Amino acid sequence: MKKLLLLITTLTFGLLLSACGGESNTVKFGVIGPLTGDYSVYGVAVENGAKLAAEELNAAGGVLDKDLEIIAYDSKGDPTEGVNAYNRLRDQDEIDALIGGTFSGVTLAIKDLAVSDNMPVLTPTATHPDVTPNADNIFRACYTDSYQGSTAAVFTADSLGKTNVAVMYNKDDAYSEGLAQAFMDEYDARGLSYTEYEFGSQDDDYSAQLTSIKDEGHDAVFLPAYVAEVGAVLTQAKSLGLDVPFIGGDGWDGIEADYADVAEGFYFANHYAKTDEAAAVQDFVTNYTEAFGEAPNALAALAYDAVYALAEAFEQADSVDSDAVVEALANLEYNNAVTGTITFDAIGNPIKTITIIKVVDGEHVVETKVDAS
Amino acid sequence: MELFINQLINGLNTGSIYALVAIGYTMVYGIIKLINFAHGEIMMFGAYFAFVFAYMIPWNLPFILIIIISMILAAIMGMLIERIAYKKLRKAPRISALITAIGMSLFLQNLALLIFGASYKRMRPLVSTEPVHLFGFNISKLTLITIGLSVFFMMVLTFFIHKTKPGKAMRAVSQDKGAAILMGINIDNIISLTFAIGSALGALGGIFYAMAYSQIYPTLGVMPGLKAFIAAVFGGIGNITGAMVGGYLIGIIETMTKAYISKQWVDAIVFGLLILILLFKPSGLLGKSTKEKV
């Protein structure tokens, strides 16, 4: 009996040692996003998109002939929680690269740590301008707020021919304000007129602003905000009889689920269109819907692309060494992405096309694609 | 001028909702000197009740029936809260009851979070929001119903308080509990009735709020609850007419500030006005100043 016990103990220890020592046989990507709470819809989409990409990559032979593992931790959208998640990913899980944080605020909070660790970071969705500058190892897969805002302005002015626009934005939200500012700068540059209307995160009642917009006779409203706010604004606009087109940004993604009737005929800038007929897009949409039982939003698509782009960089670096991976990312050209070709400029922002979507009968229809300027 | 009238209507719409909710705060305070912080959550649950009966149960009930059922459920909920959480604390120091009320508020918020989830749900209006042409103005039908029904229920309440026996008993209890008992008034029942009426009106406010702003979520009651509480203090807490006047004033001031000054000044102006009123009239706009009894 004693001998048996000894044998088992020796065997167990032997196994443990072999697991600890030597080369690890997986490549690990960490994911940070709000997986629970008010913003969980965004974090869960990122996690799902990343996991789908990893599954497909593993089925095709993995990364550097190893299995790719995705480890996702919850940030609740809170910077402090995000830093904790990052520390855990680095120390406990020893990740090779990070996909995240999903929110700009969280990504900015972990930026300094990631820079001093020289961790390769490819955030799928952090759009704030300060995320990538002065950090050689930080890249993003989405375009920035200002790029999106000015593209929306170009579209509103050139394609829709609107010259007297109301810009209605959330004063408490950096994303909303960033888009609005870029939009207004573009209108200033063209000498077109606009009026600012602000609201706050705590607001539910937008009737005062909308009544004024109607009274001023604006010919369009630029509304860079998230679905919950956009839905409420559009519903109230309809009941006040305000009958002009609304234009938005990628925060509108998913508007057709609950608010198709009030968003009918309106436009928003997005990373990709579900109805795009390109094979990469259709495969992604089909596989995602099959795996998770719902159509992917833009965040899922960006996370999916981010994993593929990062895996490609690992292959090109032919190593998990941070410096080599960062260099490979900087020179990367990934063509098969759902959200358009991914190449990075000198500060780590992608150079890619923006899709303008029109909501028609509750579906996304590609209105036009605007190239990088 | 047309813009001004339109903004005034917007203000009346918000004001009606604040007034309905403020009545609940003021009635409960009047009778047991408790600031019932869970009242905003009753408003939220009232909206969820309507949501459930309108969209989750396929009975196709008419609008007015949905409202009445939700108000009754909210009334029961208010009475239960009083019996379970507040009754034992009637003789306790006031701060204990206040903390219990805050605890109840958080409990109800999290209960809603558990039952309905965190995501914003779309509350489609149960009546048409199509603009109606009236005296040369386009007013949404929902706004007309909100203002109309609020005023109607406030009139019913005023009649009830002043002309009926239970209403008189209610006033008696709020004036002197001891004497009311001696007169043979069952104060437990009267307090329950107060919670029931306040909660039912709060639920009505919640339903209108969710319909007007088209969304429903577990923290829906927090901001309007706070504003309604301010309205109650503004008008003189404990005074029902004061709560109504306060609600309408806050609603109109808020909308006018948003429309003509700046969105960022709204809270500064509303709260600044509150401080001014309390400086010059500590018992509120219509509150009676009572002498401390020694």
Side-chain angles (χ1 to χ4, degrees):
Chain A
M1 189 63 202
K2 254 191 183 157
K3 265 184 191 162
L4 188 68
L5 211 68
L6 195 72
L7 185 72
I8 292 173
T9 324
T10 327
L11 271 176
T12 325
F13 265 99
L15 276 174
L16 272 177
L17 280 176
S18 72
C20 291
E23 283 268 297
S24 108
N25 46 8
T26 54
V27 174
K28 291 174 180 168
F29 290 175
V31 168
I32 297 176
L35 304 179
T36 61
D38 283 357
Y39 306 107
S40 59
V41 54
Y42 301 110
V44 171
V46 167
E47 185 189 2
N48 287 349
K51 288 201 160 146
L52 179 66
E55 238 168 69
E56 292 177 11
L57 279 164
N58 287 337
V63 177
L64 301 172
D65 297 324
K66 296 171 186 172
D67 262 358
L68 174 60
E69 190 185 346
I70 301 284
I71 304 162
Y73 286 140
D74 188 10
S75 69
K76 299 190 177 76
D78 174 52
T80 317
E81 297 268 355
V83 169
N84 292 340
Y86 175 78
N87 286 332
R88 218 161 103 208
L89 285 168
R90 181 194 57 200
D91 299 334
Q92 190 180 313
D93 301 300
E94 298 177 329
I95 53 166
D96 298 300
L98 179 70
I99 307 277
T102 302
F103 279 1
S104 291
V106 174
T107 314
L108 287 171
I110 57 183
K111 180 180 173 183
D112 287 343
L113 282 171
V115 169
S116 62
D117 296 337
N118 198 26
M119 171 75 69
V121 176
L122 176 55
T123 169
T125 52
T127 51
H128 195 278
D130 292 343
V131 168
T132 47
N134 306 318
D136 293 337
N137 57 323
I138 298 184
F139 300 84
R140 67 175 123 215
C142 54
Y143 39 69
T144 60
D145 291 347
S146 53
Y147 181 55
Q148 198 188 147
S150 51
T151 307
V154 170
F155 170 75
T156 310
D158 288 351
S159 305
L160 299 181
K162 304 296 182 187
T163 51
N164 181 22
V165 176
V167 179
M168 189 173 170
Y169 64 98
N170 182 348
K171 194 77 186 163
D172 301 336
D173 180 39
Y175 161 80
S176 185
E177 201 173 3
L179 255 74
Q181 197 53 53
F183 186 99
M184 293 187 287
D185 288 346
E186 183 67 34
Y187 260 58
D188 276 334
R190 289 161 174 257
L192 298 172
S193 70
Y194 61 85
T195 313
E196 287 178 59
Y197 296 88
E198 298 157 0
F199 59 92
S201 292
Q202 301 276 11
D203 291 8
D204 287 315
D205 176 16
Y206 309 97
S207 56
Q209 291 94 325
L210 292 168
T211 304
S212 297
I213 289 173
K214 190 181 171 194
D215 185 70
E216 290 287 321
H218 292 291
D219 51 8
V221 182
F222 180 55
L223 175 67
Y226 292 110
V227 169
E229 290 154 352
V230 173
V233 171
L234 295 184
T235 314
Q236 286 173 45
K238 192 128 289 182
S239 73
L240 288 168
L242 177 62
D243 193 22
V244 295
F246 278 70
I247 298 102
D250 61 342
W252 279 43
D253 193 34
I255 190 79
E256 74 285 356
D258 275 343
Y259 299 99
D261 56 332
V262 287
E264 179 67 21
F266 295 163
Y267 308 89
F268 65 99
N270 206 0
H271 304 273
Y272 88 115
K274 286 186 281 206
T275 46
D276 196 326
E277 282 171 5
V281 178
Q282 283 316 311
D283 286 352
F284 166 68
V285 172
T286 315
N287 293 342
Y288 188 98
T289 312
E290 205 169 281
F292 304 108
E294 58 180 11
N297 60 18
L299 281 84
L302 286 166
Y304 177 87
D305 279 352
V307 170
Y308 265 103
L310 205 51
E312 181 74 23
F314 272 75
E315 292 287 358
Q316 281 175 18
D318 197 23
S319 131
V320 294
D321 175 59
S322 292
D323 285 328
V325 171
V326 168
E327 202 194 317
L329 265 176
N331 299 319
L332 185 75
E333 186 175 337
Y334 177 60
N335 286 317
N336 202 24
V338 173
T339 61
T341 304
I342 295 180
T343 54
F344 298 103
D345 66 7
I347 50 173
N349 293 329
I351 304 162
K352 60 203 287 195
T353 54
I354 288 188
T355 308
I356 303 277
I357 288 173
K358 186 176 186 182
V359 182
V360 179
D361 295 333
E363 284 292 337
H364 288 183
V365 174
V366 180
E367 176 76 12
T368 175
K369 285 187 183 181
V370 185
D371 272 325
S373 48
Chain B
M1 191 59 201
E2 195 191 326
L3 177 67
F4 180 80
I5 304 275
N6 276 326
Q7 298 288 20
L8 192 69
I9 293 165
N10 290 337
L12 283 174
N13 187 26
T14 331
S16 304
I17 295 166
Y18 289 160
L20 282 174
V21 182
I23 289 171
Y25 279 108
T26 226
M27 283 178 78
V28 167
Y29 184 86
I31 207 143
I32 53 170
K33 300 284 173 285
L34 166 75
I35 293 164
N36 181 15
F37 274 112
H39 192 55
E41 276 55 52
I42 298 207
M43 168 187 180
M44 174 265 293
F45 263 100
Y48 268 113
F49 289 144
F51 181 80
V52 168
F53 280 98
Y55 301 114
M56 292 169 76
I57 300 175
W59 288 347
N60 257 330
L61 297 172
F63 168 66
I64 198 78
L65 208 59
I66 290 175
I67 285 193
I68 290 171
I69 294 174
S70 310
M71 286 172 75
I72 291 172
L73 285 176
I76 294 170
M77 196 171 162
M79 288 192 283
L80 276 178
I81 290 173
E82 193 272 328
R83 279 290 149 100
I84 294 168
Y86 302 152
K87 194 181 171 193
K88 293 251 188 280
L89 292 169
R90 252 180 236 162
K91 296 222 166 62
R94 247 199 257 173
I95 191 82
S96 315
L98 187 75
I99 298 296
T100 311
I102 293 173
M104 194 36 105
S105 156
L106 290 173
F107 168 76
L108 291 175
Q109 266 177 43
N110 285 288
L111 186 69
L113 200 66
L114 263 174
I115 301 175
F116 302 107
S119 61
Y120 283 54
K121 293 198 166 53
R122 178 164 183 197
M123 178 87 178
R124 284 167 198 278
L126 300 162
V127 290
S128 149
T129 53
E130 286 299 309
V132 181
H133 211 66
L134 201 72
F135 308 121
F137 295 101
N138 287 321
I139 308 170
S140 125
K141 202 171 158 196
L142 179 62
T143 306
L144 283 178
I145 292 181
T146 304
I147 298 173
L149 265 186
S150 310
V151 172
F152 170 74
F153 274 107
M154 286 180 221
M155 274 158 49
V156 170
L157 178 70
T158 313
F159 174 80
F160 173 83
I161 297 280
H162 289 281
K163 301 283 180 217
T164 65
K165 263 231 158 105
K168 279 179 189 157
M170 209 174 265
R171 281 188 293 151
V173 174
S174 80
Q175 278 167 10
D176 193 327
K177 227 176 265 173
I181 297 174
L182 290 177
M183 293 299 120
I185 294 170
N186 182 338
I187 61 165
D188 282 349
N189 286 352
I190 293 298
I191 291 175
S192 284
L193 184 65
T194 310
F195 269 87
I197 294 173
S199 302
L201 293 180
L204 184 67
I207 296 169
F208 285 141
Y209 193 84
M211 285 200 297
Y213 310 130
S214 71
Q215 279 167 350
I216 185 161
Y217 49 95
T219 50
L220 172 116
V222 176
M223 268 323 267
L226 194 65
K227 293 273 168 66
F229 171 60
I230 294 168
V233 176
F234 202 89
I237 191 138
N239 182 316
I240 292 174
T241 324
M244 298 175 194
V245 173
Y248 278 108
L249 276 180
I250 298 266
I252 291 169
I253 293 169
E254 232 185 55
T255 310
M256 290 301 169
T257 314
K258 266 189 218 170
Y260 292 105
I261 306 175
S262 150
K263 154 74 191 96
Q264 280 166 303
W265 282 91
V266 169
D267 289 344
I269 288 179
V270 169
F271 287 92
L273 221 79
L274 175 74
I275 293 171
L276 269 183
I277 294 261
L278 292 185
L279 275 179
F280 291 105
K281 242 183 146 297
S283 49
L285 223 46
L286 300 182
K288 284 182 230 70
S289 54
T290 45
K291 293 207 174 67
E292 273 303 315
K293 278 174 272 186
V294 185

